[in-house]
Each structure stands twice: as structure tokens, then as C-alpha cells.
Amino acid sequence: MDCKPVTQSEVFEVLRDCLDPELGRSLVLLGQVRQVEVSGGRLSVVIGLPTFAAPIWEELRMEFTQKLRRAFGQLPEVEVVLEAVDRAPEKLGVVGLSAKSVVAVGSGKGGVGKSTVAALLAQGLGRAGCRVGLLDADVYGPSIPHLLGVHQQPIVVNDRLQPVWADGIAVMSIGFFVPPGEAVLWRGPMLHNAISQFLRDTDWGPLDYLIVDLPPGTGDVALSLSQLLPVTEAVVVCTPQDVALLDATKAIAMFRKLQIELLGMIENMSYFICPGCGMRHEIFSSGGARRRAELLNVPFLGEIPLNVGLRVQCDAGRLAQVWEQPPLADCFQAICKQLVRQAVALRRQKAHHLPLPVL
Ligand code: ADP
């Protein structure tokens, strides 16, 4: 057995090809391997990571630990501790929004659970430790205020709109400005101005993710986002039925045309577990979105069951309560992780094509 003492530089060497999940660059070169201590048989390392990747911190910690264990098998104890690096997001586009990722949630048609999924993604990322904003841009049916049970009008401070806070998420909705039951009739240019204002004049603070609930179909809001922001990412929600999949395919084609990056597809109402007999029923068929995603070369982020509890909490404006229901919470958590893995993968791909930073 090799009993040579392990040096700090050997540890740095082993961690050299571990990448920052947001920048896709070496953690060592970025100065984020903050502390390396070897004493007795114990190696202890402190690594700084961005909250952008908070949902997958634990798996990254495991990855780093295993790498060190493999390299230094002679050490009986290897410990990796993670802490947040405070890296302000860049200001994006003409609107100067301070966010690391803007994720538009779209669907081919209405009623597939797009708003519910948008709100759950925001909550899931927020609960995992990301800084999250949720913009409800669904002009035809702004349902986010209802889902989250927030109905107060946002206030203005120093000419800046203050988002309404719900379950740790900054929320802004077209619905805050329209009396309930009234329809919004906005043409393209008005809508563009409204979206631009929501992005520019809202005090979002620095965000890891701004989740945007789009109107269903293919259209104006996605176009505005692609014009106002340098990069937008997107998720498409659909049900497993053929008609819904056909419409989802159109939404994907639109995102591709607008050069909006696809993080993946989510299948909602995939199956129903009967509370009486425990059997799984595939009411709208099943697996269609996974197959379609494969065919279209889009990542598949996961399946959400049709669940009465979820519907009840939506109707009651208490969506956050579904996180207390273990099978549902596990399912949403897995989807959030998958979304972050895709966002990280995209950044790594891009970083690969950039010149090395001068440090
Ligand atoms: P969209 O934004 O696509 O129009 P919504 O998110 O408003 O759809 O959802 C439509 C309805 O379906 C809501 O009443 C919501 O509570 C319900 N719903 C959405 N997903 C589920 C699900 N997985 N299980 C049960 N009800 C759901």
C-alpha cells in the first residue's frame, strides 16, 4: 500500500478537470477549490458552487468525492464540503434583466397543465436553493396568481414594480393588472411592450432562473422573449395524447425557429394511480412524449401523474402544499434536477467552444 503523504498540489491536479456547472470551466482554474487540508488519514476539501445548480449539488459532491477517493485510495477519509459562490448574473439584453437563465414554459395547446408545471418548476428550483422569479405571461388565462393564492396588486417603489412574493419566489403576472373574469385583448406590439416592461421594470433582484409561463400555442410572447434577451431556454409541456403531441411538436418547431434552446419536454397527466386498488391506469395513453422527444432529439425531463390532490391544491390556491405529498414531491424534484442537468450540459457545450479565460 502506498503510504506517501498526499500533497495539496496533487489534490488540485485531480480536481483540475472538475467543471463549474454554470461556467463549464475548471473549478481549480476559477479559484473555487477553496480549501484543501490533509491531516492524518483525512482529506478535507471545500469547493464553491453557484446556487444556479443547487438541485444537483449533492450529486456533484458525490462525483468530486468519488474522484478523490479513487485517486487517493490510501486515505481512509475523504470529505467534500460545498458552499455557495456569490457570482452576480450578467445583465441580459436591452432589458438588463439580471438572470442566469430564462426558461419559457410552453405548450402546443391549453389545458395540458403548463401553468401548473411552470409554477411547480419555480417552486422546486426555489426549494432546492436557487433564486427564482416566475413571470406569468399567459395573456389568455393568467392563472399563476390563483395557483399560488396571491392576489394583491404589486406596488411601485422608485418607479420599479415590486414582485409579489409567494413561497420564496418573486412573482409577476399579467393577471395582477386585470380584473378577474375580464379578458385581455392585447395586440402584438402592446404585448411586446408589456413583456419588455415586466422584464425591465420589475425589481426581480439577481436571479438564477426566471420561469416564464407562456400563452399556449405558438406566438408573440416567445418572439418577444427571443428579441429582448440574448438567450432564452424552453420547456414544452404536453399530455401523452396524439393531438397534444402534434401541437407540442409545433411549439418545438417554433422554439427552434426562434433559436430558443430546448431544455426538454415534460409529459403531464401521464398515468393515474387509483387510490382504491393502487393500479396504474394510462388514461390519455402513455410514453408518447418520451417517444416524441426522442424522435425530435429533445431531452425528456419526466412524467407527472394525473393526481386528484394536485388538482385540489391548484383549485384552492395552495400549490406549495403538493410538496408535502411524497410521491408527487419526488416526481417534481426529479424533473427539476433533470432540467438543471440539461441547463448545465448546454453551458458546458458552449464553454467548450470558448477560448480559455485569462486568470
Ligand atoms: P394550462 O396552463 O396548460 O392551460 P393549467 O396548468 O391551468 O393548464 O391546468 C389546467 C387544469 O388541470 C387545472 O385545473 C389544474 O389544476 C389541472 N391539472 C394540471 N396538471 C394536473 C395533474 N397532473 N393532475 C391533476 N390535475 C392537473
Side-chain angles (χ1 to χ4, degrees):
M1 192 176 176
D2 183 5
C3 286
K4 238 177 8 122
V6 171
T7 64
Q8 282 200 339
S9 55
E10 283 173 319
V11 175
F12 280 116
E13 201 45 49
V14 168
L15 293 175
R16 214 179 154 79
D17 59 353
C18 292
L19 303 179
D20 177 273
E22 181 196 339
L23 302 178
R25 302 282 185 186
S26 161
L27 286 165
V28 171
L29 293 181
L30 290 167
Q32 283 166 225
V33 178
R34 291 178 165 170
Q35 203 179 307
V36 175
E37 266 178 25
V38 196
S39 72
R42 187 165 186 275
L43 167 62
S44 159
V45 180
V46 178
I47 296 179
L49 286 184
T51 52
F52 170 77
I56 58 165
W57 268 26
E58 185 48 27
E59 65 197 48
L60 292 172
R61 198 184 65 76
M62 296 286 285
E63 192 185 305
F64 305 150
T65 310
Q66 270 160 18
K67 208 169 161 53
L68 291 166
R69 281 213 180 107
R70 268 198 303 273
F72 306 114
Q74 71 270 36
L75 294 177
E77 221 184 308
V78 174
E79 183 197 46
V80 175
V81 175
L82 301 179
E83 56 183 37
V85 278
D86 201 8
R87 195 161 48 215
E90 270 179 62
K91 296 217 177 280
L92 300 178
V94 283
V95 286
L97 174 75
S98 197
K100 293 184 179 174
S101 170
V102 177
V103 182
V105 181
S107 66
K109 64 192 206 84
V112 298
K114 171 187 51 60
S115 303
T116 310
V117 172
L120 284 166
L121 286 176
Q123 288 181 342
L125 294 169
R127 289 169 69 93
C130 306
R131 292 167 298 188
V132 185
L134 175 58
L135 172 58
D136 177 7
D138 186 348
V139 249
Y140 307 117
S143 49
I144 296 289
H146 180 81
L147 289 174
L148 304 183
V150 285
H151 298 287
Q152 63 267 47
Q153 273 254 325
I155 56 166
V156 175
V157 177
N158 296 330
D159 287 337
R160 311 262 310 146
L161 264 175
Q162 302 303 303
V164 173
W165 288 84
D167 310 305
I169 298 164
V171 183
M172 188 49 72
S173 170
I174 286 183
F176 291 144
F177 305 93
V178 184
E182 274 189 30
V184 186
L185 287 170
W186 283 349
R187 291 177 196 285
M190 264 174 91
L191 198 51
H192 182 83
N193 285 343
I195 298 300
S196 163
Q197 242 182 322
F198 282 139
L199 295 175
R200 193 186 48 228
D201 300 335
T202 302
D203 254 340
W204 293 107
L207 297 175
D208 288 315
Y209 295 89
L210 178 66
I211 306 291
V212 185
D213 184 16
L214 295 183
T218 48
D220 289 338
V221 178
L223 179 62
S224 292
L225 288 176
S226 72
Q227 288 170 346
L228 293 165
L229 299 164
V231 185
T232 309
E233 292 165 316
V235 164
V236 173
V237 181
C238 62
T239 56
Q241 285 158 289
D242 283 346
V243 270
L245 286 168
L246 212 61
D247 289 336
T249 306
K250 286 186 200 156
I252 287 170
M254 167 199 66
F255 287 133
R256 286 199 161 134
K257 214 172 207 164
L258 296 174
Q259 295 187 323
I260 291 178
E261 311 256 21
L262 280 153
L263 292 177
M265 272 173 101
I266 296 174
E267 186 174 275
N268 190 22
M269 309 186 191
S270 286
Y271 55 91
F272 174 72
I273 304 285
C274 172
C277 66
M279 285 260 294
R280 177 179 164 126
H281 302 274
E282 294 175 346
I283 293 170
F284 299 115
S285 169
S286 183
R290 188 187 288 273
R291 285 191 293 277
R292 185 64 58 107
E294 220 165 87
L295 207 69
L296 296 170
N297 204 14
V298 174
F300 183 66
L301 302 182
E303 299 174 341
I304 300 172
L306 187 67
N307 181 283
V308 179
L310 175 57
R311 202 268 306 146
V312 170
Q313 303 298 5
C314 286
D315 284 351
R318 290 190 307 250
L319 189 65
Q321 300 246 328
V322 301
W323 292 95
E324 309 307 324
Q325 294 178 37
L328 276 182
D330 292 350
C331 158
F332 304 139
Q333 221 173 24
I335 290 175
C336 288
K337 283 187 185 174
Q338 202 54 23
L339 178 135
V340 173
R341 286 188 201 112
Q342 290 304 328
V344 168
L346 274 180
R347 280 152 183 78
R348 286 193 175 162
Q349 255 172 33
K350 280 190 193 152
H352 194 64
H353 299 292
L354 292 173
L356 283 170
V358 182
L359 293 166

